[in-house]
Amino acid sequence: MFGWLNNSNRKIFFSDHFAFSQTALDQTICEAARFQADQGDLVFLLAHFPETFERIQNMLESHEVDYGIATEPIDWAANLVLIRSKLSKISLSLTESFQHALITTEPQSNRELKLSIIVVERHPLISMDESLKAFVRKIPFHVKLGYYLAFDQPVVDYAVEKGLRLLMKQFGMTNHSLVTSELISRRIRRKLKIYQRTHLNCVPADSPQEWYELNGR
């Protein structure tokens, strides 16, 4: 899962990972971030909403994870020493701030630099996650990106009906499992595409719950 191909500009988009609850997911997020940092990667934890950002920050502190908050734009095409000097091994950021980073037209060769991105929620508008992936494709070195999601997160709860969750239990998923399922991922993408087509003028929000309150389900 964590192997690298020789192409220094390789992008790897992992399948979504699902847990039944956010509580069950939190420990896994911390373990995944620590593991990737121990492998020498720069790790980013990304949230779409400010309230999620604050919740993940509290979670990292309660699990005693050594992390930093990325607040300044990073020139991803700068040299390796400069990039590492500006970032902690594990950084927390909002997706919007992360995409304010710079990519210069003449990138340095950063063959030794590897970036792991853990996205901790889906946005109700699928275009927000698609724009994140499009930005990641422009970063001029190794990048791995994966979503760590829970069925009780508001966006996943909206997109994945109870019958499908029951089916996952019948397939052997437990409250402590972390699984990948293309069936669930396809369902989420399909529901969010439909949602975006019918919600054209949305009001910004600080949390997924507030988003649905302001813009409807």
Side-chain angles (χ1 to χ4, degrees):
M1 179 176 178
F2 301 111
W4 286 97
L5 300 181
N6 291 328
N7 186 348
S8 63
N9 197 31
R10 182 71 175 174
K11 306 299 184 294
I12 300 176
F13 297 95
F14 289 120
S15 299
D16 297 342
H17 288 72
F18 297 97
F20 267 113
S21 70
Q22 186 67 58
T23 301
L25 187 63
D26 283 348
Q27 180 66 35
T28 301
I29 290 175
C30 292
E31 291 173 355
R34 283 174 167 145
F35 176 86
Q36 293 302 113
D38 289 344
Q39 301 303 303
D41 293 10
L42 289 176
V43 179
F44 264 85
L45 299 175
L46 299 184
H48 285 295
F49 293 96
E51 283 193 15
T52 307
F53 178 97
E54 293 179 7
R55 197 198 68 76
I56 294 298
Q57 184 177 10
N58 292 334
M59 181 266 291
L60 292 172
E61 292 176 357
S62 67
H63 285 80
E64 299 183 342
V65 176
D66 187 12
Y67 76 100
I69 296 176
T71 57
E72 298 182 4
I74 301 298
D75 184 354
W76 291 116
N79 67 70
L80 178 61
V81 174
L82 180 60
I83 293 174
R84 287 195 178 278
S85 70
K86 292 179 176 292
L87 293 172
S88 303
K89 288 184 177 180
I90 299 174
S91 297
L92 176 63
S93 179
L94 288 167
T95 53
E96 183 179 7
S97 300
F98 178 78
Q99 291 176 84
H100 285 165
L102 307 174
I103 300 178
T104 56
T105 56
E106 297 182 1
Q108 301 286 329
S109 176
N110 284 327
R111 294 179 181 276
E112 297 180 3
L113 186 57
K114 298 173 184 176
L115 179 65
S116 289
I117 300 172
I118 297 172
V119 190
V120 299
E121 63 183 344
R122 286 278 184 184
H123 196 282
L125 298 179
I126 194 169
S127 61
M128 301 298 288
D129 287 294
E130 290 176 342
S131 66
L132 172 61
K133 290 182 178 180
F135 177 81
V136 165
R137 290 186 178 96
K138 299 177 184 177
I139 298 176
F141 49 85
H142 279 301
V143 185
K144 293 176 289 190
L145 181 146
Y147 284 76
Y148 281 68
L149 308 171
F151 288 151
D152 60 358
Q153 292 176 349
V155 178
V156 181
D157 178 67
Y158 164 79
V160 181
E161 63 272 19
K162 291 182 179 179
L164 186 52
R165 297 176 219 178
L166 178 60
L167 181 64
M168 295 306 297
K169 281 190 175 182
Q170 293 173 347
F171 285 163
M173 185 177 180
T174 70
N175 291 335
H176 302 289
S177 299
L178 185 72
V179 303
T180 60
S181 170
E182 187 55 32
L183 174 65
I184 298 177
S185 296
R186 283 199 307 268
R187 178 63 177 170
I188 292 173
R189 290 194 296 269
R190 184 163 56 250
K191 284 289 293 279
L192 297 187
K193 285 179 180 178
I194 295 172
Y195 181 89
Q196 178 142 356
R197 288 200 299 267
T198 57
H199 294 74
L200 301 179
N201 298 300
C202 294
V203 179
D206 288 334
S207 71
Q209 294 92 332
E210 185 183 42
W211 176 279
Y212 287 124
E213 291 171 3
L214 294 174
N215 300 292
R217 291 174 67 92

